Coordinates of all heavy atoms in Angstrom, one line a residue:
Chain B
Y439 N -57.4 -0.4 24.2 CA -58.7 -0.8 24.7 C -59.8 -0.4 23.6 O -60.8 -1.0 23.5 CB -59.0 0.0 26.0 CG -60.4 0.1 26.4 CD1 -61.1 -1.0 27.0 CD2 -61.2 1.2 26.1 CE1 -62.4 -0.9 27.3 CE2 -62.5 1.3 26.4 CZ -63.1 0.2 27.1 OH -64.5 0.3 27.4
Q440 N -59.6 0.8 23.0 CA -60.6 1.3 22.1 C -60.7 0.6 20.8 O -61.6 0.9 20.0 CB -60.1 2.7 21.8 CG -60.7 3.7 22.7 CD -60.2 5.1 22.2 OE1 -59.7 5.3 21.1 NE2 -60.5 6.0 23.0
D441 N -59.7 -0.1 20.4 CA -59.7 -0.7 19.0 C -60.5 -1.9 19.0 O -60.3 -2.9 19.6 CB -58.2 -1.0 18.7 CG -58.1 -1.3 17.2 OD1 -59.0 -1.8 16.6 OD2 -57.0 -1.1 16.6
P442 N -61.6 -1.9 18.2 CA -62.6 -3.0 18.2 C -61.9 -4.3 17.7 O -62.3 -5.4 18.2 CB -63.6 -2.6 17.1 CG -63.4 -1.1 16.9 CD -62.1 -0.8 17.3
T458 N -61.9 5.7 27.9 CA -62.7 6.8 27.3 C -62.7 6.5 25.8 O -61.8 5.9 25.2 CB -62.0 8.1 27.5 OG1 -60.6 8.0 27.3 CG2 -62.2 8.7 28.8
T459 N -63.8 7.0 25.2 CA -63.9 6.9 23.8 C -64.5 8.2 23.2 O -65.5 8.7 23.8 CB -64.9 5.7 23.4 OG1 -64.5 4.6 24.2 CG2 -64.9 5.4 22.0
G460 N -64.0 8.7 22.2 CA -64.6 9.8 21.5 C -65.5 9.4 20.4 O -66.5 10.1 20.0
Y461 N -65.3 8.1 19.9 CA -66.2 7.6 19.0 C -66.0 6.1 18.9 O -64.8 5.6 18.9 CB -66.0 8.1 17.5 CG -66.9 7.5 16.6 CD1 -68.2 7.8 16.5 CD2 -66.5 6.4 15.8 CE1 -69.1 7.2 15.6 CE2 -67.3 5.7 14.9 CZ -68.6 6.1 14.9 OH -69.5 5.5 14.0
S462 N -67.0 5.3 18.8 CA -66.9 3.9 18.5 C -68.3 3.6 17.8 O -69.2 4.3 18.0 CB -66.7 3.0 19.7 OG -67.9 2.9 20.4
P463 N -68.4 2.5 17.1 CA -69.6 2.2 16.3 C -70.8 2.2 17.3 O -71.9 2.5 16.9 CB -69.4 0.8 15.7 CG -67.9 0.8 15.5 CD -67.3 1.6 16.7
E464 N -70.6 1.8 18.6 CA -71.8 1.7 19.5 C -72.3 3.1 19.8 O -73.4 3.3 20.4 CB -71.3 1.0 20.8 CG -71.1 -0.5 20.6 CD -69.7 -0.8 20.2 OE1 -69.0 0.1 19.8 OE2 -69.4 -2.0 20.2
L465 N -71.5 4.2 19.5 CA -72.0 5.5 19.8 C -72.8 6.1 18.7 O -73.3 7.2 18.7 CB -70.8 6.5 20.1 CG -70.3 6.6 21.5 CD1 -69.9 5.3 22.1 CD2 -69.3 7.6 21.7
A466 N -73.0 5.3 17.6 CA -73.6 5.8 16.4 C -75.0 6.3 16.7 O -75.4 7.3 16.1 CB -73.7 4.7 15.4
E467 N -75.7 5.7 17.7 CA -77.1 6.2 18.0 C -77.1 7.7 18.5 O -78.1 8.4 18.4 CB -77.8 5.3 19.0 CG -77.1 5.2 20.3 CD -77.7 4.1 21.2 OE1 -77.4 2.9 20.9 OE2 -78.5 4.4 22.1
L468 N -75.9 8.1 19.2 CA -75.8 9.4 19.6 C -75.4 10.4 18.5 O -75.6 11.6 18.6 CB -74.8 9.5 20.7 CG -75.0 8.7 22.0 CD1 -73.8 8.9 22.9 CD2 -76.2 9.2 22.7
M469 N -74.8 9.8 17.5 CA -74.3 10.6 16.4 C -74.8 10.1 15.0 O -74.0 9.5 14.3 CB -72.7 10.6 16.4 CG -72.2 11.0 17.8 SD -70.6 10.3 18.2 CE -69.5 11.3 17.2
V472 N -73.0 10.3 11.5 CA -71.7 9.7 11.1 C -71.9 8.6 10.1 O -71.1 8.4 9.2 CB -71.1 9.1 12.4 CG1 -69.8 8.3 12.1 CG2 -70.7 10.2 13.4
E476 N -69.3 7.5 7.3 CA -68.5 6.3 7.5 C -68.5 5.4 6.3 O -67.5 4.7 6.0 CB -69.0 5.6 8.8 CG -68.0 4.7 9.4 CD -68.6 4.2 10.8 OE1 -69.7 3.7 10.8 OE2 -67.9 4.4 11.8
P488 N -64.7 0.7 10.6 CA -65.4 2.0 10.9 C -64.4 3.0 11.4 O -63.2 2.7 11.7 CB -66.3 1.5 12.0 CG -65.7 0.2 12.6 CD -65.0 -0.4 11.4
F489 N -64.9 4.2 11.6 CA -64.0 5.3 12.2 C -63.6 4.8 13.6 O -64.3 4.0 14.3 CB -64.9 6.6 12.4 CG -64.9 7.4 11.2 CD1 -66.2 7.8 10.7 CD2 -63.8 7.9 10.6 CE1 -66.3 8.6 9.6 CE2 -63.9 8.8 9.5 CZ -65.1 9.1 9.0
D490 N -62.5 5.3 14.1 CA -62.2 5.2 15.5 C -62.0 6.6 16.1 O -62.1 7.5 15.4 CB -60.9 4.3 15.7 CG -59.7 4.9 15.0 OD1 -59.4 6.1 15.2 OD2 -59.1 4.1 14.2
S491 N -61.8 6.6 17.4 CA -61.7 7.9 18.1 C -60.7 8.9 17.5 O -60.9 10.1 17.5 CB -61.3 7.7 19.6 OG -62.3 7.3 20.3
I494 N -61.6 9.9 13.4 CA -62.7 10.7 13.2 C -62.4 12.2 13.6 O -62.9 13.1 13.0 CB -64.0 10.2 14.0 CG1 -65.3 10.8 13.4 CG2 -63.9 10.6 15.5 CD1 -66.5 10.1 13.9
L533 N -68.6 14.0 19.5 CA -69.5 13.6 20.6 C -69.9 15.0 21.2 O -69.0 15.7 21.6 CB -68.7 12.8 21.5 CG -69.5 12.1 22.6 CD1 -70.4 11.1 22.0 CD2 -68.6 11.4 23.6
V551 N -66.6 9.8 26.4 CA -67.5 9.1 27.3 C -66.8 7.9 27.8 O -66.0 7.3 27.1 CB -68.8 8.8 26.5 CG1 -68.5 8.0 25.3 CG2 -69.8 8.0 27.4
T553 N -66.6 4.2 28.7 CA -67.3 3.0 28.2 C -66.7 1.8 28.9 O -65.6 1.8 29.5 CB -67.1 2.8 26.7 OG1 -65.7 2.6 26.4 CG2 -67.7 3.9 25.9
E559 N -68.9 -5.7 23.5 CA -69.5 -4.4 23.1 C -69.1 -3.3 24.0 O -69.1 -3.5 25.2 CB -71.0 -4.5 23.0 CG -71.5 -5.3 21.9 CD -72.9 -5.0 21.5 OE1 -73.6 -4.3 22.3 OE2 -73.4 -5.4 20.4
Y560 N -68.9 -2.1 23.4 CA -68.6 -0.9 24.3 C -69.9 -0.3 24.8 O -70.7 0.3 24.0 CB -67.8 0.1 23.4 CG -66.5 -0.3 23.0 CD1 -66.3 -1.0 21.8 CD2 -65.4 -0.1 23.8 CE1 -65.0 -1.4 21.4 CE2 -64.1 -0.5 23.4 CZ -63.9 -1.1 22.2 OH -62.7 -1.5 21.7
R561 N -70.1 -0.5 26.1 CA -71.4 0.1 26.7 C -71.0 1.4 27.4 O -70.0 1.5 28.1 CB -72.0 -0.9 27.7 CG -72.1 -2.3 27.2 CD -73.0 -2.5 26.1 NE -74.4 -2.2 26.5 CZ -75.4 -2.2 25.7 NH1 -75.3 -2.5 24.4 NH2 -76.6 -2.0 26.2
R562 N -71.9 2.4 27.2 CA -71.6 3.7 27.8 C -72.0 3.7 29.3 O -73.2 3.4 29.6 CB -72.3 4.8 27.0 CG -72.0 4.8 25.6 CD -72.5 6.0 24.9 NE -74.0 6.1 24.9 CZ -74.8 5.5 24.0 NH1 -74.3 4.8 23.1 NH2 -76.1 5.7 24.1

Side-chain angles (χ1 to χ4, degrees):
Chain B
Y439 163 81
Q440 269 182 12
D441 192 330
T458 43
T459 311
Y461 177 79
S462 76
E464 289 86 349
L465 268 63
E467 60 188 80
L468 301 175
M469 302 154 82
V472 175
E476 203 170 53
F489 277 124
D490 55 53
S491 279
I494 202 167
L533 193 64
V551 53
T553 59
E559 287 204 345
Y560 294 90
R561 315 293 295 177
R562 303 190 298 274

